[in-house]
């Protein structure tokens, strides 16, 4: 066996305490760093009376430590611009707990303090009784927040698919009664047992000197993990004046080895016959099927080798071909399945088994057909394998993806490296350099033969180790015996060889007549403006933020508000016309086959105020993206049969979303706030049946009929001289107006085609006045969802208004989290949101969104009102405002190194004339607490307060 060469740019090793470290210099993003802590400890190691402790400790890691008492950790990080929840967070799984601090401004003090935080997470949590009791309320609320239909069904499923294994009853959140009733000392005991350097790794990546950082890490003594958590008087620990803590001289960790529990790995048994689990829930509205093909994990030594990497490449090619087959089926007009997805990874909770996962959704009326189709395709692939054409297409697509990653190797984000090293520590995966792996892939992938691939596919599914999981509505009559009967039918069929599933004809057979670039000039933000012969405007900014990324955003004023509100159903479908019928002569299914090996994506959007086309691609695929954009304007395909199938799929997906009570609360609030709420809310499943396809098609053609009304913003690594020929061939050639309607039963009127698309006057969109409404619903897990929103119309927003709105939301969010979540533990989900629009007149909004226990909604809404009243009287605290300013400026500078930043700022400038870039940082610095208080008062006291609550009956 030949071992993979570890990337030489990684500083990798172990301290005497057993702590593993990974350190790497990386300049993306510049002058920032990320710090991760990985504990090889998750819910699987918990005893019955500890179920939920690993996850609870994750919560407590932000609630007080030796170096950062109480909420000092969060307050410190926010003082340097690191936002809690967004950039400072953690997660717990069955196998590990991972903490992250991202985008830390690099200075020696900041880095040392973040190192202290990592130390404290290992061995310095205070775990005070009162803090534990408050956090209990938050975690118990998380049970309610997490209790979706799928969560409840998955928990029941674990008992069946992991029968005989500890994974059968080790869900991440644990047991409600355990969390509600445990004594804090039991948690401290768990912490002492399992939070240890020998089970931990720190990962530090960023724009710093890696040698100096490694010396800083080595100079720290991490042999403090066995001190008594929560007892700062323990005789074995000394504390320095700077707040560092270390073992006193002469303390020997090995003398305590008898008290150190072994980190045992728990196995999952093989199964000869399929394991079938059918779970049902009263709030589940669609059918969801998962097939898991269990396989043994790779040997720890073998996984480090090039031979194993080659095996992984073969599996990756198989996954791509299986995904292609299932997507081909899903895109057909007779498709019984929706949103198929094939992947490989842990067997759900367990890292001691890996699995190939096949997931599909379906309408329950088609359950039998959908199940047999999914299962049959697995058997067909195992029996007959794949074709050479499929394999070559998979190789091409994967090599294109790997080439893009290789081109971008100098622009990889620090957190991407960090997450790779987390897998090295927890899954023993190799960490070769990008150059080394790409060179190996270029040599190896072309050598992989069809026989090899098909032999591996046959061995992946040999009839054993299959787990079948069905997640169904409570009303379903499907049983585990019924599923077994369906499998028997398919098993006894004579399965035919696969049909041809590859479609390979040109996107555009006959090129359009070229247009011309008629003028060029310099424009704002470093863009060049190019005017085309058909009136289209193109704005190009050549960047090196990403080596292999090109973004396209074509935008035109005038969206749903240009039409009567009665057309909201057709407008919903109009946005998806290319998704429904395809483009030109290519059906949706054929388009997928043509483009699946390309690194590109494009979609049309119709929002209340704008029509747009959004796309992105690699440099190699810019021509194909331009072809797709040309066809979106000139040749949307009309296909009544595809539309009927699309309706059924959309109704299936919408029905499942309508059990999301937070989403339903947002719909309620929108109906109270906006006069034309149909343009803001997601369409209801019951509205889909009445959509008239021909009208939807006509609306699409009207919205995208006139390329001269669109501004095409192109940002990325492409030079003007390379782009101009493509613009002239595919954008300047779009006819004005596009009135070809051979596929239409009734042509679009000239009046419609030539109508000027201007944004309607936005006055009177907001419904004036205040309201407070509550709706009671049946819920499997009783909760209350409350949204309070304030709205105000202003003549025209300025850059200052946008900054004020952003700082209001940030500081209000801090108050809501502090007072409602952290102080009293009343809610797991509690946050603020809002913005000020760039259109004229502008609409300023502030949302306060909460989920709490049913019956507690009145009390928690009263707390919201108290927070608002305090803010209006006093404004934000100076400390909170300073922390939010630091975050805003840091985020601004980080975002300025992305293509997306400039694309969004230019589009806003073109639409509204608003400059959001010039003098931004000085503007942020100039905002005072008094100004924010005044801004909030005008919004909150304006008189447009709406509150909507959904609670359990």
């Amino acid at each position: 066996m030949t071992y993979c060469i570890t990337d030489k740019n990684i500083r990798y090793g172990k301290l005497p305490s057993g702590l593993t470290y990974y350190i790497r210099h990386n300049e993306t993003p510049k002058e920032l760093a990320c710090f991760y802590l990985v504990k090889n400890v998750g819910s699987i190691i918990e005893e019955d009376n500890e179920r939920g402790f690993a996850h609870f400790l994750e919560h407590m890691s932000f609630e007080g430590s030796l170096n950062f008492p109480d909420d000092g950790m969060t307050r410190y990080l926010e003082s340097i611009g690191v936002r809690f929840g967004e950039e400072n967070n953690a997660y717990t799984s069955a196998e590990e707990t991972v903490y992250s601090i991202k985008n830390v401004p690099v200075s020696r003090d900041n880095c040392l303090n973040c190192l202290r935080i990592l130390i404290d997470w290992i061995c310095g949590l205070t775990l005070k009784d009162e803090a534990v009791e408050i956090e209990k309320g938050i975690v118990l609320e998380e049970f309610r927040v997490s209790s979706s239909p799928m969560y409840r069904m998955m928990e029941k499923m674990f008992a069946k698919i992991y029968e005989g294994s500890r994974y059968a009853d080790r869900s991440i959140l644990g047991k409600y009664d355990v969390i509600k009733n445990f004594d804090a000392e039991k948690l401290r005991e768990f912490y002492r047992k399992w939070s240890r350097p020998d089970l931990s790794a720190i990962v530090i990546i960023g724009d710093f000197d890696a040698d100096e950082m490694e010396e800083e890490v080595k100079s720290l003594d991490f042999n403090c993990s066995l001190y008594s958590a929560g007892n700062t008087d323990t005789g074995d620990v000394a504390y320095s004046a700077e707040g560092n803590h270390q073992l006193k001289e002469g303390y020997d960790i090995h003398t305590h080895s008898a008290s150190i529990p072994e980190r045992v790995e728990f196995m999952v048994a093989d199964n000869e016959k399929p394991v079938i689990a059918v779970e049902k829930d009263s709030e589940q509205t669609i059918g969801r099927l998962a097939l898991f093909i269990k396989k043994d994990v790779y040997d720890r030594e073998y996984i480090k080798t090039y031979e194993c990497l080659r095996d992984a490449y073969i599996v990756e090619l198989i996954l791509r071909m299986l995904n292609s087959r299932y997507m081909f089926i899903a895109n057909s007009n007779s498709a019984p399945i929706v949103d198929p997805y094939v992947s490989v990874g842990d067997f759900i909770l367990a890292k001691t088994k890996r699995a190939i996962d096949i997931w599909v959704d379906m309408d329950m009326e088609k359950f039998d057909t959908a199940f047999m189709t999914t299962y049959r395709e697995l058997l067909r692939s195992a029996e007959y394998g794949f074709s050479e054409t499929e394999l070559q297409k998979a190789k091409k697509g994967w090599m294109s993806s790997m080439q893009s990653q290789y081109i971008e190797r100098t622009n990889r984000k620090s957190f991407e490296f960090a997450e790779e090293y987390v897998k090295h520590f927890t899954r023993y995966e190799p960490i070769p350099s990008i150059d080394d792996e790409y060179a190996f892939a270029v040599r190896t992938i072309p050598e992989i033969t069809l026989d090899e691939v098909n032999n591996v596919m046959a061995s992946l599914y040999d009839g054993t180790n299959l787990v079948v999981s069905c997640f169904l509505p409570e009303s379903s009559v499907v049983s585990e015996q019924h599923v077994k009967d369906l499998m028997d039918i398919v098993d006894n069929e004579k399965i035919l060889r696969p049909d041809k599933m590859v479609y390979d004809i040109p996107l555009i057979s006959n090129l359009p007549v070229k247009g011309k670039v008629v003028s060029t000039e310099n424009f704002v933000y470093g863009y060049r403006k190019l005017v085309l012969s058909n009136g289209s405007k193109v704005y190009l900014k050549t960047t090196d933020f990403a080596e292999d990324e090109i973004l396209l955003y074509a935008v035109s004023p005038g969206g749903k508000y240009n039409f009567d509100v009665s057309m909201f159903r057709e407008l919903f479908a109009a946005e998806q016309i290319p998704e429904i019928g395809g483009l030109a002569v290519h059906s949706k299914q054929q388009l997928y086959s043509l483009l699946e090996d390309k690194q590109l994506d494009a979609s049309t959007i119709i929002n209340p105020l704008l029509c747009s086309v959004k796309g992105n691609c690699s440099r190699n695929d810019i021509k194909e993206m331009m072809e797709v954009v040309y066809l979106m304007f000139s040749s949307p395909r009309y296909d009544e049969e595809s539309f009927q199938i699309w309706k059924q799929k959309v109704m299936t997906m919408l029905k499942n979303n309508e059990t999301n009570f937070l989403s339903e609360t947002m719909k309620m609030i929108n109906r109270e706030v906006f006069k034309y709420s149909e343009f803001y809310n997601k369409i209801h499943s019951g509205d889909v049946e009445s959509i008239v396809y021909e009208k939807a098609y006509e609306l699409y053609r009207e919205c995208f009929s006139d390329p001269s009304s669109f501004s095409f913003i192109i940002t990325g690594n492409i030079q003007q001289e390379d782009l101009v020929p493509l613009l002239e061939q595919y954008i300047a050639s779009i006819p004005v107006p596009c009135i070809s309607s051979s596929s239409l039963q009734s042509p679009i009127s000239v009046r419609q085609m030539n109508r000027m698309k201007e944004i309607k006057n936005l006055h009177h969109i907001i419904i004036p006045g205040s309201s407070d409404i509550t709706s009671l619903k049946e819920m499997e897990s009783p909760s209350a969802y409350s949204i309070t929103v304030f709205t105000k119309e202003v003549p025209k927003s300025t850059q200052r208004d946008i900054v004020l709105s952003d700082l209001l939301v940030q500081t209000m969010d801090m108050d809501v989290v502090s007072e409602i979540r952290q102080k009293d533990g009343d809610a797991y989900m509690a946050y603020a949101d809002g913005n000020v629009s760039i259109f004229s007149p502008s609409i300023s909004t502030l949302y306060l969104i909460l989920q709490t226990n049913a019956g507690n909604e009145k009390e928690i809404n009263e707390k919201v009102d108290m927070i608002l009243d305090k803010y209006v009287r006093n404004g934000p605290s100076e400390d909170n405002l300073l922390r939010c300013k630091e975050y805003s400026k840091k985020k601004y500078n980080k975002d300025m190194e992305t293509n997306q930043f400039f694309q969004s700022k230019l589009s806003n400038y073109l639409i509204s004339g608003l400059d959001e870039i010039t003098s931004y940082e000085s503007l942020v610095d100039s905002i005072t607490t008094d100004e924010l208080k005044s801004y909030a008062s005008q919004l909150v006291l304006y008189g447009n307060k709406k509150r909507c609550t959904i609670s359990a009956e």
Side-chain angles (χ1 to χ4, degrees):
M1 294 190 297
T2 307
Y3 287 92
C4 293
I5 301 171
T6 298
D7 189 344
K8 65 182 181 181
N9 293 309
I10 303 169
R11 305 292 192 276
Y12 167 58
K14 278 192 176 185
L15 296 174
S17 63
L19 179 76
T20 301
Y21 67 86
Y22 303 80
I23 299 170
R24 184 190 184 104
H25 171 76
N26 187 55
E27 297 180 6
T28 308
K30 292 179 181 177
E31 298 180 358
L32 297 175
C34 65
F35 294 76
Y36 279 56
L37 171 68
V38 192
K39 293 183 180 181
N40 194 13
V41 175
S43 62
I44 195 62
I45 52 86
E46 298 163 351
E47 301 299 331
D48 286 348
N49 63 350
E50 299 171 332
R51 281 179 289 181
F53 276 19
H55 172 256
F56 199 95
L57 275 177
E58 174 211 313
H59 276 248
M60 291 305 301
S61 298
F62 304 93
E63 300 302 325
S65 67
L66 294 176
N67 286 308
F68 301 90
D70 303 321
D71 64 347
M73 186 183 299
T74 299
R75 296 186 71 81
Y76 164 71
L77 289 173
E78 288 184 337
S79 75
I80 61 172
V82 177
R83 188 74 182 272
F84 176 72
E86 184 176 339
E87 298 172 319
N88 174 27
N89 215 327
Y91 73 83
T92 304
S93 73
E95 304 288 0
E96 68 255 1
T97 306
V98 179
Y99 301 84
S100 59
I101 312 171
K102 301 175 184 175
N103 300 322
V104 175
V106 171
S107 72
R108 188 172 187 275
D109 285 347
N110 288 349
C111 290
L112 283 176
N113 278 324
C114 287
L115 277 173
R116 291 182 181 119
I117 290 173
L118 300 186
I119 296 169
D120 277 3
W121 277 338
I122 298 171
C123 60
L125 299 187
T126 49
L127 302 177
K128 294 179 180 179
D129 288 2
E130 58 270 28
V132 169
E133 288 305 310
I134 290 174
E135 203 66 27
K136 279 185 181 182
I138 296 172
V139 175
L140 292 175
E141 285 301 319
E142 188 175 357
F143 274 87
R144 275 184 277 274
V145 172
S146 303
S147 186
S148 65
M150 279 300 294
Y151 179 86
R152 293 190 291 267
M153 289 187 287
M154 289 283 280
E155 275 216 314
K156 290 188 288 185
M157 179 194 73
F158 292 154
K160 298 176 182 177
I161 68 172
Y162 292 126
E163 185 177 7
S165 168
R166 192 164 186 166
Y167 292 99
D169 60 358
R170 287 299 182 274
S171 62
I172 311 306
L173 291 181
K175 292 296 183 183
Y176 188 93
D177 288 342
V178 170
I179 297 302
K180 184 178 180 180
N181 299 309
F182 76 83
D183 182 85
E185 181 55 29
K186 293 294 183 184
L187 185 70
R188 290 190 282 267
E189 289 176 6
F190 182 86
Y191 181 55
R192 286 192 289 269
K193 282 192 300 183
W194 293 112
S195 191
R196 312 191 315 245
D198 61 301
L199 296 177
S200 303
I202 59 173
V203 181
I204 309 171
I205 318 290
D207 192 5
F208 48 68
D209 186 296
D211 292 329
E212 290 180 4
M213 181 64 73
E214 186 175 26
E215 288 306 311
E216 294 283 7
V217 170
K218 287 181 176 180
S219 70
L220 297 171
D221 189 341
F222 286 86
N223 286 341
C224 57
S225 64
L226 298 183
Y227 86 102
S228 297
N231 178 8
T232 58
D233 295 324
T234 177
D236 293 321
V237 184
Y239 301 93
S240 71
E242 292 77 21
N244 290 330
H245 51 285
Q246 59 186 12
L247 290 177
K248 286 183 175 178
E249 187 175 356
Y251 182 83
D252 183 1
I253 191 172
H254 301 291
T255 63
H256 293 256
S257 59
S259 64
I260 300 175
E262 181 184 359
R263 173 58 165 96
V264 177
E265 292 195 336
F266 297 89
M267 299 297 109
V268 176
D270 292 332
N271 53 285
E272 285 293 322
K273 295 181 179 179
V275 173
I276 301 172
V278 174
E279 305 301 341
K280 302 177 184 180
D281 192 275
S282 61
E283 293 173 6
Q284 180 76 359
T285 58
I286 66 169
R288 181 162 289 165
L289 166 67
L291 304 180
F292 302 98
I293 308 163
K294 296 187 301 187
K295 306 301 294 182
D296 288 334
V297 295
Y298 294 120
D299 177 83
R300 288 189 186 179
E301 288 302 307
Y302 185 64
I303 201 173
K304 302 173 185 177
T305 66
Y306 285 109
E307 288 84 353
C308 185
L309 191 57
R310 190 178 193 280
D311 291 346
Y313 286 175
I314 294 174
V315 172
E316 172 65 26
L317 291 169
I318 288 171
L319 294 179
R320 284 177 170 267
M321 291 185 284
L322 283 174
N323 264 308
S324 179
R325 286 192 171 187
Y326 282 110
M327 283 299 297
F328 196 85
I329 294 169
N331 287 329
S332 68
N333 281 350
S334 59
I337 61 174
V338 179
D339 289 342
Y341 182 68
V342 186
S343 63
V344 66
D346 292 348
F347 177 39
I348 314 179
L349 295 179
K351 75 174 182 181
T352 54
K353 259 315 189 220
R354 60 192 177 101
I356 307 290
D357 304 356
I358 303 170
W359 289 83
V360 301
D361 288 350
M362 80 281 287
D363 189 317
M364 282 307 300
E365 293 181 2
K366 299 180 179 179
F367 177 85
D368 287 7
T369 304
F371 180 88
M372 289 193 291
T373 298
T374 306
Y375 182 52
R376 184 183 296 116
E377 199 55 47
L378 171 61
L379 297 187
R380 190 195 325 271
S381 299
E383 181 174 352
Y384 295 110
F386 304 95
S387 69
E388 186 64 40
T389 304
E390 287 177 289
L391 178 59
Q392 292 306 317
K393 198 171 186 68
K395 286 183 176 181
K396 182 180 177 183
W398 194 26
M399 284 306 301
S400 175
S401 175
M402 293 196 72
Q403 182 184 32
S404 181
Q405 293 176 40
Y406 178 71
I407 292 170
E408 292 286 5
R409 64 193 181 280
T410 59
N411 292 317
R412 284 194 73 189
K413 305 290 191 298
S414 291
F415 78 87
E416 294 174 2
F417 283 112
E419 290 174 359
E420 185 177 310
Y421 304 157
V422 168
K423 290 183 179 178
H424 179 267
F425 182 70
T426 60
R427 301 298 186 277
Y428 319 105
E429 295 181 6
I431 41 177
S433 69
I434 299 172
D435 299 80
D436 184 38
E437 183 171 1
Y438 182 68
F440 179 73
V442 168
R443 293 193 310 271
T444 303
I445 292 175
E447 297 173 352
I448 295 173
T449 67
L450 183 62
D451 284 344
E452 283 183 281
V453 169
N454 288 341
N455 287 336
V456 172
M457 181 65 228
S459 68
L460 282 177
Y461 183 61
D462 58 5
T464 65
N465 271 333
L466 179 65
V467 174
V468 180
S469 297
C470 301
F471 307 95
L472 310 175
E474 190 70 60
S475 58
S476 170
V477 297
V478 173
S479 64
E480 289 166 5
Q481 183 60 51
H482 181 74
V483 171
K484 183 179 183 305
D485 293 342
L486 294 177
M487 295 180 73
D488 289 342
I489 292 171
V490 177
D491 286 336
N492 292 320
E493 288 178 351
K494 173 60 178 175
I495 296 178
L496 302 177
R497 287 185 173 276
D499 295 328
K500 180 182 179 183
M501 294 187 178
V502 175
Y503 175 81
D504 195 16
I505 67 172
L507 267 173
I508 299 177
S509 298
N510 298 309
L511 291 177
V513 177
K514 281 186 178 182
K516 292 289 184 182
V517 173
V518 297
S519 68
T520 63
E521 60 180 285
N522 291 330
F523 204 66
V524 298
Y525 307 151
Y527 279 86
R528 290 279 291 170
K529 178 181 179 181
L530 294 78
V531 179
L532 308 185
S533 53
N534 64 354
S536 301
K537 278 76 66 180
V538 177
Y539 300 85
L540 169 65
K541 182 178 179 70
T542 301
T543 73
D544 59 1
F545 302 133
E547 294 293 331
D548 200 30
E549 177 184 74
I550 300 170
L551 303 183
L552 179 145
Y553 185 62
V555 62
S556 172
K560 294 177 181 178
Y561 276 129
N562 275 33
F563 304 94
D564 191 271
V565 71
S566 64
M567 298 183 184
F568 76 93
R569 301 171 187 85
E570 279 72 28
L571 284 164
F572 170 78
E575 186 177 57
Q576 302 179 63
I577 288 299
E579 177 72 12
I580 294 169
L583 296 171
V585 299
H586 315 292
S587 69
K588 176 186 174 182
Q589 184 185 51
Q590 292 163 340
L591 270 178
Y592 175 81
S593 183
L594 279 177
L595 300 174
E596 66 175 317
D597 59 350
K598 308 294 182 185
Q599 301 296 307
L600 74 86
D601 185 39
S603 59
T604 52
I605 304 165
I606 306 173
N607 71 22
L609 301 168
L610 301 170
C611 297
S612 59
V613 176
K614 191 172 186 179
N616 64 82
C617 68
S618 68
R619 287 186 297 179
N620 287 341
D621 298 321
I622 179 66
K623 173 177 172 289
E624 286 79 4
M625 186 173 75
M626 289 295 189
E627 289 179 324
V628 169
V629 171
Y630 170 82
L631 294 176
M632 284 177 162
F633 278 91
S634 65
S635 306
R637 185 170 176 270
Y638 189 90
D639 186 335
E640 182 70 42
E641 184 181 0
S642 293
F643 171 70
Q644 295 303 323
I645 301 300
W646 172 84
K647 278 204 307 187
Q648 296 303 313
K649 292 180 180 178
V650 167
M651 283 191 286
T652 296
M653 291 184 289
L654 289 175
K655 283 178 184 177
N656 204 46
N657 292 336
E658 284 156 14
T659 61
N660 183 317
F661 292 108
L662 179 60
S663 176
E664 290 300 298
T665 312
M666 184 59 75
K667 287 183 181 180
M668 283 176 57
I669 203 78
N670 283 343
R671 287 193 290 268
E672 293 294 304
V673 171
F674 298 108
K675 186 175 180 181
Y676 307 110
S677 62
E678 294 89 344
F679 290 153
Y680 287 88
N681 282 334
K682 289 183 178 180
I683 194 170
H684 193 275
S685 58
D687 292 316
V688 176
E689 187 58 45
S690 60
I691 294 173
V692 178
Y693 181 40
E694 185 176 346
K695 287 183 179 179
Y697 186 90
E698 290 178 359
L699 289 172
Y700 175 89
R701 294 300 301 274
E702 184 169 355
C703 289
F704 297 94
S705 63
D706 185 1
S708 67
S709 72
F710 280 80
S711 296
F712 293 79
I713 303 170
I714 299 174
T715 315
N717 193 4
I718 186 168
Q719 299 295 326
Q720 180 174 322
E721 58 268 28
D722 297 323
L723 182 63
V724 165
L726 296 171
L727 294 177
E728 292 182 333
Q729 182 67 74
Y730 297 110
I731 306 301
S733 61
I734 302 172
V736 183
C738 296
I739 57 174
S740 172
S741 55
S742 58
S743 57
L744 267 178
Q745 295 179 3
S746 58
I748 301 171
S749 69
V750 174
R751 181 192 65 80
Q752 287 176 313
M753 295 301 300
N754 293 327
R755 181 165 65 85
M756 290 295 291
K757 294 193 296 179
E758 297 177 350
I759 299 175
K760 284 187 175 181
N761 191 317
L762 298 185
H763 284 298
H764 313 305
I765 286 177
I766 299 297
I767 299 172
S770 298
S771 62
D772 190 341
I773 61 173
T774 298
S775 177
L776 299 179
K777 303 279 188 181
E778 289 186 9
M779 295 184 188
E780 188 72 22
S781 179
S783 293
Y785 303 80
S786 177
I787 299 177
T788 305
V789 61
F790 298 88
T791 57
K792 183 178 184 293
E793 289 185 0
V794 294
K796 182 175 175 61
S797 60
T798 64
Q799 185 185 21
R800 195 171 198 90
D801 291 324
I802 291 173
V803 171
L804 283 166
S805 176
D806 179 51
L807 291 174
L808 168 63
V809 168
Q810 287 190 56
T811 52
M812 184 65 72
D813 186 73
M814 284 182 170
D815 287 345
V816 169
V817 170
S818 174
E819 294 296 321
I820 293 179
R821 173 172 167 157
Q822 294 176 335
K823 184 176 180 180
D824 298 322
D826 285 333
Y828 174 74
M829 184 178 70
Y831 63 95
D833 200 356
N835 58 53
V836 59
S837 65
I838 62 173
F839 299 96
S840 179
S842 302
I843 300 169
S844 180
T845 60
L846 172 65
Y847 290 88
L848 301 168
I849 302 169
L850 303 105
Q851 181 180 355
T852 187
N853 188 20
N856 195 38
E857 58 269 24
K858 182 179 179 181
E859 180 181 347
I860 205 167
N861 281 330
E862 288 174 351
K863 289 185 179 181
V864 167
D865 291 338
M866 290 174 61
I867 293 168
L868 288 163
D869 179 66
K870 182 179 178 181
Y871 197 106
V872 167
R873 284 187 288 106
N874 304 319
S877 73
E878 191 69 41
D879 183 45
N880 280 359
L881 179 56
L882 287 173
R883 288 189 280 160
C884 291
K885 286 181 177 182
E886 287 302 311
Y887 170 78
S888 295
K889 290 186 292 184
K890 184 198 72 175
K891 184 176 186 300
Y892 172 83
N893 284 302
K894 181 169 70 75
D895 290 348
M896 281 195 76
E897 298 177 8
T898 66
N899 293 320
Q900 179 62 44
F901 174 85
F902 284 98
Q903 175 183 276
S904 65
K905 298 307 180 188
L906 180 62
S907 65
N908 288 350
Y909 179 85
L910 294 174
I911 293 163
S912 66
L914 186 63
D915 180 359
E916 297 179 69
I917 294 181
T918 305
S919 304
Y920 174 83
E921 289 186 90
S922 61
L923 176 56
V924 170
D925 284 333
S926 73
I927 301 297
T928 65
T929 55
D930 284 343
E931 187 176 10
L932 260 183
K933 179 179 74 172
S934 175
Y935 183 83
S937 299
Q938 292 176 41
L939 176 58
V940 173
L941 302 179
Y942 183 67
N944 280 359
K945 174 188 177 183
K946 309 291 170 62
R947 172 171 285 155
C948 290
T949 305
I950 288 181
S951 186
E953 289 184 336

